[in-house]
Each structure stands twice: as C-alpha cells, then as structure tokens.
C-alpha cells in the first residue's frame, strides 16, 4: 500500500495527558498537511510542511499543539495537556504541490475524556 | 475560516436519480477539488478542476466551474446506494487548501 497512513487510528486519553500522532505520506510528495475535523464539519486546516519546513500554522493551532516533519518524511502532531475540546478526527494529507491533488490518510480519531 | 460553501447541506434522493451539489467560494482560485467522505472515514479525492477549465467528467461524475460566479457543481448520475456519503469542495487559497462544510447525500433504496 503506497497511500498515506496514520497511526494510531483511534486514541482515547484523559484530559491533561499528552498525545502524539504519526503520519506517513506518499513517499515522493513534498507537501504534508494536517487537518482537524469535528462532527458535521469539513476538515479545518491546522498546518502544512514543504519538505521539512513548516510554512504555515493556523490560529486554531494553540501553543499546546506542535508538529514536526524531520528529514521531510513522516510527520508527528503532538497535543500537550489535552482538553475535551481537542476531541476530533485528525487528518493528514500529502501532495506534490499546492496545485496537485491531496491524498488523505484514514485519520486518527481522538477522544479526550 | 472556510472558503467553500456547499449547497444543499443535506440531500436525499431515490436510487437511480441524479444528484447535484453546488459549491460557492469567495476568492480567486487556481483549482477546485471535490472529495467524498464515508461516515467516520478519510477523504477520497474525486475530481480536480483547474481555473481555466469549465467542465470535467469522471465516470458518473460531472463537475462544472464558473469562475465569474465563483461557483462549482458536482453532478452524480444514476445514483447508487454506495454514493451515500458527505461531499466536500476544496479550494486553494493563501497557499493552502480550504474545505467547505459539505453536503450529506443519502441515497434511498
């Protein structure tokens, strides 16, 4: 399978705990995006990388959120001191460039108790 | 903020009928994409249409783009039960892809 993969698929955590998600993009893709999606809404942009450089962060991404893409390959999204409002589906996508199709992973569903 | 806005928010039709969804956006774009999402799943790319294109087809899907009206439509012909899903338009703006809230399509048997 050469698509975008995400791990874990589901995460249940207690409020205040830290969580980390991983995304493995399609190997040739330069761009990697993180989105958050809540029930009944479309995906909301969080941040994106061009190779290893993080080029933009949404104001939705508070100081508790951090993302990395070391060596321009896989990416991690960490949420510190989770809150119940962080409960959502976290989606990762990759593409060659802005002008090209974004391919999405299956998502990580986070539940904060 | 979400640039694309789909209409209607929800649509129920009989199997075999055609389904039309619309997307309006606010700023200039280079391309517009349509995605499908089955409940609780990731997004599946359907069609990308560039700003210099007016119409595009893929199987039972037909997408139109009117840049003067800043709108696009997705037509699904001869609908099937498996077409039941949420459909999103996504536009490129400010160097990122922005999604609308989606149209929830339900195909009735």
């Amino acid at each position: 399978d050469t698509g975008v993969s995400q791990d874990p698929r589901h995460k249940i955590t207690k409020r205040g705990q830290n969580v980390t998600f991983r995304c493995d993009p399609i190997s040739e893709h330069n761009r990697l995006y993180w989105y958050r999606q809540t029930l009944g809404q479309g995906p909301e942009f969080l941040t994106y990388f061009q190779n290893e450089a993080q080029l933009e962060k949404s104001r939705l991404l508070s100081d508790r959120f951090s993302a990395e893409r070391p060596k321009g390959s896989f990416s991690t999204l960490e949420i510190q001191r989770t809150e119940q409002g962080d409960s959502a589906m976290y989606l990762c996508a990759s593409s060659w460039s802005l002008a090209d199709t974004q391919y999405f992973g299956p998502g990580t569903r986070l539940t904060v108790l | 903020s979400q640039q694309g806005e789909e209409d209607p928010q929800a649509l129920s039709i009989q199997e075999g009928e055609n389904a039309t969804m619309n997307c309006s956006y606010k700023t200039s774009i280079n391309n517009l994409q349509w995605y499908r999402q089955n409940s609780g799943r990731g997004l599946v790319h359907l069609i990308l249409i560039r700003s210099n294109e007016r119409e595009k087809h893929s199987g039972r899907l037909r997408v139109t783009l009117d840049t003067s009206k800043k709108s696009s439509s997705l037509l699904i012909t001869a609908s099937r039960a498996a077409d039941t899903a949420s459909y999103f338009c996504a536009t490129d703006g400010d160097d990122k892809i922005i999604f609308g809230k989606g149209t929830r399509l339900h195909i009735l048997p």
Side-chain angles (χ1 to χ4, degrees):
Chain A
D1 183 24
T2 56
V4 179
S5 62
Q6 292 186 246
D7 182 68
R9 296 289 304 275
H10 303 273
K11 179 71 177 178
I12 299 174
T13 191
K14 292 183 179 179
R15 188 169 49 130
Q17 297 293 306
N18 299 344
V19 295
T20 300
F21 310 142
R22 176 177 171 129
C23 171
D24 286 90
I26 294 172
S27 59
E28 316 89 70
H29 285 178
N30 298 317
R31 286 205 170 202
L32 186 149
Y33 300 81
W34 284 100
Y35 294 88
R36 182 175 70 188
Q37 186 178 27
T38 53
L39 196 63
Q41 300 293 315
E44 294 178 295
F45 170 80
L46 292 179
T47 188
Y48 86 91
F49 293 83
Q50 174 81 25
N51 299 314
E52 67 274 10
Q54 187 175 15
L55 296 186
E56 186 168 348
K57 296 197 298 184
S58 163
R59 54 186 171 81
L60 292 174
L61 219 64
S62 74
D63 291 343
R64 297 184 296 106
F65 289 71
S66 62
E68 294 182 342
R69 192 184 181 194
K71 303 178 184 176
S73 56
F74 71 92
S75 176
T76 58
L77 177 68
E78 181 183 15
I79 308 174
Q80 295 182 326
R81 304 181 303 282
T82 52
E83 302 173 355
Q84 288 185 324
D86 297 331
S87 294
M89 176 79 88
Y90 290 84
L91 295 164
C92 174
S94 70
S95 68
W96 274 107
S97 70
L98 177 66
D100 293 302
T101 298
Q102 289 195 345
Y103 294 91
F104 280 79
T108 294
R109 182 170 295 284
L110 172 66
T111 301
V112 181
L113 302 176
Chain B
S1 61
Q2 291 175 309
Q3 150 133 286
E5 191 165 319
E6 292 88 346
D7 172 63
Q9 290 187 343
L11 178 62
S12 294
I13 61 171
Q14 295 293 136
E15 192 169 9
E17 293 181 340
N18 297 341
T20 299
M21 291 157 256
N22 302 296
C23 169
S24 59
Y25 57 91
K26 297 174 184 174
T27 62
S28 298
I29 60 170
N30 295 309
N31 61 63
L32 183 146
Q33 303 181 62
W34 284 92
Y35 287 84
R36 183 187 73 224
Q37 186 177 38
N38 292 88
S39 181
R41 298 283 193 86
L43 280 81
V44 174
H45 183 260
L46 297 176
I47 286 184
L48 181 151
I49 186 165
R50 303 200 185 278
S51 60
N52 61 354
E53 297 176 308
R54 291 297 167 257
E55 189 170 310
K56 209 160 182 179
H57 297 254
S58 177
R60 294 182 297 111
L61 306 180
R62 172 177 167 252
V63 168
T64 62
L65 179 63
D66 186 335
T67 53
S68 66
K69 295 181 179 178
K70 292 187 171 57
S71 67
S72 174
S73 68
L74 170 66
L75 168 68
I76 303 173
T77 60
S79 62
R80 305 169 182 170
D83 295 329
T84 293
S86 291
Y87 292 81
F88 298 92
C89 69
T91 53
D92 62 342
D94 297 327
D95 205 33
K96 58 183 177 284
I97 305 295
I98 302 174
F99 286 81
K101 294 185 178 181
T103 291
R104 285 169 291 287
L105 175 65
H106 185 55
I107 307 300
L108 304 168

